[in-house]
Amino acid sequence: MVIDCHGHYTTAPKVAQAFRDAQIGGRADAPPPEISDDQIRESVQPQLAFQAARGTDVTIFSPRASGMAHHVGDTRANLQWARLCNDLIHRVCTLFPKQFVGVCQLPQSVGGSPADCVGELERCVTELAFIGCNLNPDPSGGHWTAPPLTDRAWYPLYEKLVELDVPAMVHVSASCNPNFHATGAHYLNADTTAFMQFLTGNLFKDFPALRFVIPHGGGAVPYHWGRYRGLAQDMKRPPLVDLIRDNVFFDTCVYHYPGIELLLKVVPVDNIIFGSEMVGAVRGIDPETGHYFDDTKRYIDAIPWMNAADKQKIFELNARKVYPRINSAVRLKPDTTDR
Amino acid sequence: MVIDCHGHYTTAPKVAQAFRDAQIGGRADAPPPEISDDQIRESVQPQLAFQAARGTDVTIFSPRASGMAHHVGDTRANLQWARLCNDLIHRVCTLFPKQFVGVCQLPQSVGGSPADCVGELERCVTELAFIGCNLNPDPSGGHWTAPPLTDRAWYPLYEKLVELDVPAMVHVSASCNPNFHATGAHYLNADTTAFMQFLTGNLFKDFPALRFVIPHGGGAVPYHWGRYRGLAQDMKRPPLVDLIRDNVFFDTCVYHYPGIELLLKVVPVDNIIFGSEMVGAVRGIDPETGHYFDDTKRYIDAIPWMNAADKQKIFELNARKVYPRINSAVRLKPDTTDR
């Protein structure tokens, strides 16, 4: 079984975003969008087609990351928007229970607090059977005004994550800072930033069971693995592999073979989870290979020196470990799959 | 000949920083530090020892990057500090003309403008024989309040860079944003950010001869080379190799063999310049190899599939192309070196 841990609902019916535009445009009473089941079925056909073509089975699916836009809207508006987005994800997962399992958007905001997110996280996990959340380390959208992820301000949310036994993917949203292109800079910077916060802080002493997935292959981190090993050593921190062992995981959203090979070479296999970000940041076909840039399974399949057992960890078993609630979804038990 | 394009004067006599501390502490009339030639000779012994041990010949040498701290001090204070730091570099280069050639710190500040830097750049190049500068894309120290590097606000400085035929290394300074560890996040984020700005903008149409070195191996960029190729394609931009050909270069400050191998695999050899950042961000010995993490020449030497001619481009010829004023320094002409 191949579990893709990183998919966003980038193809959601446009009326959803139109509602958001109205909402943040000041029309607080904008009516929620009417979206039929047929519209939802239609909207995820690209994902279903890519799953079938690429040989992946299920996508851990969350609202469009750049659409979260926590930097616009207050706590109340962003809660309404998060609920709407999460409910749409739930409908996708209900219509296609074998192909999608949900991860939620949190109602973060610039003026709000992480504690504001506890209720919606709990609703999504306990009522909608979601298995994780996306946590934005920079609700300001590129101004980085929130405290680091190791700050105690985040602890109320972490307590709930641990209680529910669900991980958070560290994922920023759109950038309103003209310095940062969203998918070409802001996303990767956030990944790198979060990792270094984890390296320097003692968060996992306080929360030994807290788990983060750092997407986009860990930003700059695996490429600079020697730098991070050296920084950890200079700072008298534990070795990186011990620092991250049970708490920090990288996805495989790296869109060329040499990058994937590097990731698989330097990061322990137990800390890598298959992901593609499909349909996402890069949508074209690589003229050098004739295949989609974001068909990341191909790169992993082609690694000659990794054995099948380790690849199974990346494709399936690590996701089951990091997102344990995926196992209680009967439809995803290996013996009940029918693909 | 081996030219290391990335060395900072991290071992400068401490009285220099004491002056800066006094200056930014409000003592505008603090006397400039008295530093003897013997103190300077003593201070660069670590660099000289590493050069000899590692088999590098000359370091393109600039003031300590984190010491620039453009986010503290006004235009006037930062000009005084830049002049002092640059004069110290000049003294190092005068005392050790075969081992060091200068690159200057610019008097940037939060309230200032890039035009403020033109005078000091010109002084350093024309009077002190410097061959480039370090350009801070974020003088705010982690709040990213300056315009992107493709903005016209930077053009007065670019005009002078082109007129003088010297490149700029894109290099941030210390971070005053608790989210960003300086050497573990802020530096790499800035590299990634600058590259994406160059990818999306048309700067090199306006300045075909403008050259930037992106340090620290290009931040996250080579690891995500497929992502950037795909983004460029989706955005109808030219292929990456054409976009960067004459204008954007990466150094080799990547502190492990797999990272260097990736860099050399994906980035055109003509766009890679040897650098080590010695004595810099990571100072320890890698227990896995028994050698210094930042002994980056070893990794390149060990690449089995790159021929000697290409390695000579990385070690010497590309630096001579990007920093052409290095060639007019008689002491560095190949036939006059005596090592």
Side-chain angles (χ1 to χ4, degrees):
Chain A
M1 173 170 255
V2 177
I3 302 170
D4 183 342
C5 79
H6 191 172
H8 300 294
Y9 195 8
T10 51
T11 57
K14 292 192 191 310
V15 289
Q17 186 60 43
F19 165 80
R20 173 65 164 172
D21 294 343
Q23 184 206 38
I24 62 182
R27 278 172 282 162
D29 58 346
E34 302 268 350
I35 299 173
S36 69
D37 283 355
D38 278 349
Q39 281 177 289
I40 289 180
R41 283 192 195 94
E42 177 68 23
S43 71
V44 294
Q45 290 307 310
Q47 285 85 352
L48 295 173
F50 282 133
Q51 285 180 347
R54 300 178 184 183
T56 67
D57 296 287
V58 58
T59 300
I60 297 178
F61 205 50
S62 60
R64 191 165 62 95
S66 62
M68 299 190 298
H70 295 121
H71 58 284
V72 285
D74 57 16
T75 306
R76 182 176 164 168
N78 289 356
L79 175 59
Q80 187 185 23
W81 176 232
R83 286 185 68 107
L84 188 153
C85 292
N86 293 331
D87 287 346
L88 277 178
I89 293 292
H90 179 56
R91 290 177 66 190
V92 171
C93 298
T94 304
L95 288 168
F96 298 96
K98 288 184 178 160
Q99 287 84 7
F100 298 101
V101 57
V103 150
C104 69
Q105 167 179 337
L106 296 174
Q108 297 179 253
S109 61
V110 174
S113 122
D116 301 335
C117 302
V118 168
E120 177 63 2
L121 171 66
E122 186 152 38
R123 180 183 82 94
C124 290
V125 174
T126 61
E127 297 178 25
L128 309 185
F130 282 24
I131 65 171
C133 70
N134 290 332
L135 173 60
N136 184 347
D138 172 31
S140 75
H143 294 288
W144 291 91
T145 54
L149 292 175
T150 47
D151 192 279
R152 288 185 168 270
W154 295 99
Y155 278 24
L157 181 56
Y158 296 161
E159 285 160 8
K160 185 57 67 175
L161 287 168
V162 170
E163 178 196 321
L164 296 170
D165 200 16
V166 296
M169 177 176 279
V170 178
H171 208 306
V172 286
S173 183
S175 160
C176 63
N177 185 326
N179 279 288
F180 303 129
H181 185 276
T183 53
H186 191 41
Y187 284 19
L188 304 177
N189 291 349
D191 305 334
T192 308
T193 298
F195 183 83
M196 192 63 193
Q197 292 175 2
F198 297 147
L199 189 160
T200 50
N202 285 308
L203 183 57
F204 304 119
K205 284 199 174 161
D206 287 349
F207 294 99
L210 185 60
R211 299 181 300 281
F212 289 102
V213 178
I214 302 188
H216 320 109
V221 173
Y223 176 49
H224 286 286
W225 199 244
R227 187 180 188 89
Y228 288 101
R229 288 200 293 111
L231 284 168
Q233 180 173 291
D234 286 357
M235 298 167 79
K236 318 286 185 204
R237 301 290 298 162
L240 281 196
V241 294
D242 296 333
L243 264 168
I244 69 172
R245 189 181 311 278
D246 300 318
N247 307 101
V248 180
F249 304 84
F250 298 131
D251 80 10
T252 65
C253 294
V254 179
Y255 296 155
H256 62 151
Y257 181 87
I260 288 285
E261 182 166 48
L262 174 86
L263 170 66
L264 271 52
K265 262 186 194 164
V266 302
V267 174
V269 67
D270 291 330
N271 295 83
I272 302 172
I273 302 178
F274 174 69
S276 75
E277 214 179 339
M278 170 274 289
V279 178
V282 175
R283 305 199 174 187
I285 289 174
D286 186 346
E288 293 183 8
T289 66
H291 298 283
Y292 284 94
F293 280 105
D294 67 0
D295 185 356
T296 55
K297 180 168 176 292
R298 292 185 62 88
Y299 310 129
I300 300 168
D301 285 339
I303 300 284
W305 47 262
M306 181 172 275
N307 63 43
D310 280 350
K311 289 187 184 179
Q312 195 192 1
K313 285 184 175 180
I314 293 173
F315 284 132
E316 176 182 1
L317 302 181
N318 292 342
R320 292 187 180 279
K321 177 181 69 178
V322 173
Y323 298 83
R325 282 179 179 264
I326 204 171
N327 299 311
S328 62
V330 174
R331 63 187 184 277
L332 295 175
K333 283 184 180 162
D335 56 339
T336 63
T337 59
D338 59 3
R339 287 184 64 133
Chain B
M1 173 172 255
V2 177
I3 301 170
D4 183 342
C5 79
H6 192 171
H8 300 295
Y9 195 9
T10 51
T11 58
K14 292 192 190 310
V15 289
Q17 186 60 45
F19 164 80
R20 173 66 164 172
D21 293 343
Q23 184 206 39
I24 62 181
R27 279 171 281 159
D29 59 345
E34 302 267 351
I35 298 174
S36 69
D37 282 356
D38 278 350
Q39 280 177 291
I40 288 179
R41 283 192 195 93
E42 177 67 24
S43 71
V44 293
Q45 290 307 310
Q47 285 84 351
L48 296 172
F50 281 132
Q51 284 180 348
R54 299 177 184 184
T56 67
D57 295 288
V58 57
T59 299
I60 297 177
F61 205 51
S62 61
R64 190 166 62 94
S66 63
M68 301 190 297
H70 295 123
H71 59 282
V72 288
D74 58 16
T75 306
R76 183 176 163 166
N78 289 357
L79 175 58
Q80 186 185 25
W81 175 232
R83 287 185 67 106
L84 187 153
C85 290
N86 292 332
D87 287 346
L88 277 178
I89 294 293
H90 180 56
R91 290 177 66 190
V92 171
C93 296
T94 303
L95 288 168
F96 298 96
K98 289 184 177 158
Q99 287 85 7
F100 298 101
V101 58
V103 150
C104 69
Q105 167 178 335
L106 295 174
Q108 297 178 253
S109 62
V110 175
S113 123
D116 301 337
C117 303
V118 169
E120 178 62 2
L121 172 66
E122 187 151 38
R123 181 185 81 94
C124 289
V125 174
T126 60
E127 297 177 25
L128 309 185
F130 282 24
I131 64 171
C133 69
N134 290 333
L135 173 60
N136 184 346
D138 173 30
S140 75
H143 294 288
W144 290 91
T145 54
L149 292 176
T150 47
D151 191 278
R152 288 185 168 269
W154 295 97
Y155 277 24
L157 181 57
Y158 296 161
E159 285 162 8
K160 185 56 71 174
L161 287 167
V162 170
E163 177 196 323
L164 296 170
D165 200 17
V166 296
M169 178 177 278
V170 178
H171 207 307
V172 287
S173 183
S175 159
C176 62
N177 185 326
N179 280 288
F180 302 130
H181 185 276
T183 52
H186 190 41
Y187 284 18
L188 304 177
N189 291 351
D191 305 335
T192 308
T193 299
F195 182 83
M196 192 62 192
Q197 293 175 1
F198 297 146
L199 190 160
T200 50
N202 285 309
L203 183 56
F204 304 120
K205 285 199 172 159
D206 286 348
F207 295 99
L210 185 60
R211 300 182 300 280
F212 290 103
V213 179
I214 303 188
H216 320 108
V221 174
Y223 175 49
H224 287 286
W225 199 244
R227 186 179 188 88
Y228 288 101
R229 286 199 295 112
L231 284 168
Q233 180 173 293
D234 285 357
M235 299 167 78
K236 318 287 186 204
R237 301 289 296 161
L240 281 196
V241 294
D242 297 331
L243 264 169
I244 69 172
R245 190 181 311 278
D246 300 318
N247 306 101
V248 180
F249 304 85
F250 298 131
D251 79 10
T252 65
C253 294
V254 178
Y255 297 157
H256 62 151
Y257 180 87
I260 288 285
E261 182 166 47
L262 174 86
L263 170 67
L264 271 51
K265 261 186 197 165
V266 302
V267 174
V269 66
D270 291 330
N271 294 83
I272 302 173
I273 302 179
F274 174 69
S276 75
E277 216 180 338
M278 170 275 289
V279 178
V282 175
R283 305 200 174 186
I285 289 173
D286 185 346
E288 293 183 8
T289 66
H291 299 283
Y292 283 94
F293 280 105
D294 68 359
D295 186 355
T296 55
K297 181 168 175 293
R298 292 184 62 88
Y299 310 130
I300 300 168
D301 285 341
I303 300 286
W305 46 263
M306 181 171 276
N307 63 42
D310 280 350
K311 288 187 184 178
Q312 196 193 0
K313 285 184 175 180
I314 294 173
F315 284 132
E316 176 183 359
L317 302 182
N318 292 342
R320 292 186 180 277
K321 176 181 70 178
V322 174
Y323 298 83
R325 283 178 177 264
I326 204 171
N327 299 311
S328 61
V330 174
R331 63 188 185 274
L332 294 175
K333 284 186 179 160
D335 56 339
T336 63
T337 58
D338 60 5
R339 287 185 66 136

